Amino acid sequence: MKKLFLILLLGIIACDQNELEGNCTQEGFLSTITTDQKIEKVFNTELQKNVFSITNGNQLLLTYTHVGAQCDDIIDDEWGEQLFFEIDSEITAFDLNDDEILTTNCFYREFGAWVSHEQIEVNKGRIDGVKISETQWDINVSVEVTSSISNTPKLIEFSRIYTVLVLVD
């Protein structure tokens, strides 16, 4: 009887899993460059750390967005992460390590229902990039971020082709 129950239970789980997969979207990645922007960094006295906002400026704003898989049948499973940094619009290559990353006003944040939405300033790791055309950059990132809430380091690593977004007024 136990074997029959176990087989029945496994069958239900397998059927349920197949049903969920049909209602789910895969994870996605987007790597963009926005011209004439900048990251404004300010010290938040309440949080006792730097936070950022994006404003008009003369820099290239590079944004990496990773959105996790989402299922229609699961409430509040939305999750994603973003990495923002800026570079001078006149350069064609860069290679930054550790504290040099601070010159890019680099920040990391997660978004979703069950995350802190904390803005974390990045100052550990490496970011390098080469302009490969008028509209694309080849960027490599390997940085470590540590949340002040969990105090647990997290490694963010990726290599992506970033594309310039053309904004229309």
Side-chain angles (χ1 to χ4, degrees):
M1 185 70 170
K2 286 182 182 179
K3 287 182 183 179
L4 178 61
F5 176 73
L6 184 59
I7 291 171
L8 183 60
L9 182 61
L10 289 173
I12 291 171
I13 290 171
C15 289
D16 192 38
Q17 199 63 24
N18 287 337
E19 185 178 313
L20 283 178
E21 288 177 10
N23 294 324
C24 296
T25 57
Q26 293 183 354
E27 68 181 345
F29 301 89
L30 184 63
S31 304
T32 60
I33 300 171
T34 311
T35 60
D36 301 321
Q37 300 280 291
K38 71 176 182 174
I39 296 173
E40 224 168 81
K41 177 170 58 173
V42 295
F43 185 77
N44 183 308
T45 55
E46 184 179 327
L47 298 173
Q48 290 296 298
K49 64 179 197 167
N50 289 326
V51 295
F52 78 98
S53 62
I54 296 170
T55 62
N56 291 330
N58 59 354
Q59 301 288 316
L60 297 177
L61 173 68
L62 290 85
T63 305
Y64 166 79
T65 303
H66 169 206
V67 178
Q70 298 177 15
C71 299
D72 293 340
D73 299 340
I74 301 174
I75 297 173
D76 292 338
D77 69 330
E78 300 86 11
W79 173 86
E81 62 185 347
Q82 292 180 300
L83 186 79
F84 302 89
F85 62 98
E86 65 185 18
I87 58 174
D88 187 296
S89 60
E90 301 300 317
I91 65 172
T92 58
F94 63 92
D95 188 353
L96 304 166
N97 292 290
D98 296 327
D99 285 343
E100 294 173 329
I101 295 171
L102 291 169
T103 64
T104 69
N105 292 327
C106 185
F107 280 86
Y108 170 83
R109 73 173 173 202
E110 292 182 319
F111 57 89
W114 301 103
V115 297
S116 69
H117 300 267
E118 177 183 19
Q119 295 181 0
I120 303 170
E121 188 171 18
V122 179
N123 67 350
K124 188 173 185 181
R126 180 176 183 195
I127 302 175
D128 67 81
V130 175
K131 187 175 185 177
I132 56 177
S133 74
E134 285 305 308
T135 60
Q136 293 188 318
W137 282 73
D138 185 4
I139 305 290
N140 302 297
V141 172
S142 178
V143 296
E144 183 179 294
V145 296
T146 303
S147 166
S148 63
I149 296 168
S150 69
N151 209 25
T152 304
K154 179 178 181 178
L155 186 62
I156 312 297
E157 286 189 307
F158 58 87
S159 294
R160 306 281 300 167
I161 300 297
Y162 279 68
T163 303
V164 175
L165 287 178
V166 178
L167 302 178
V168 179
D169 289 331

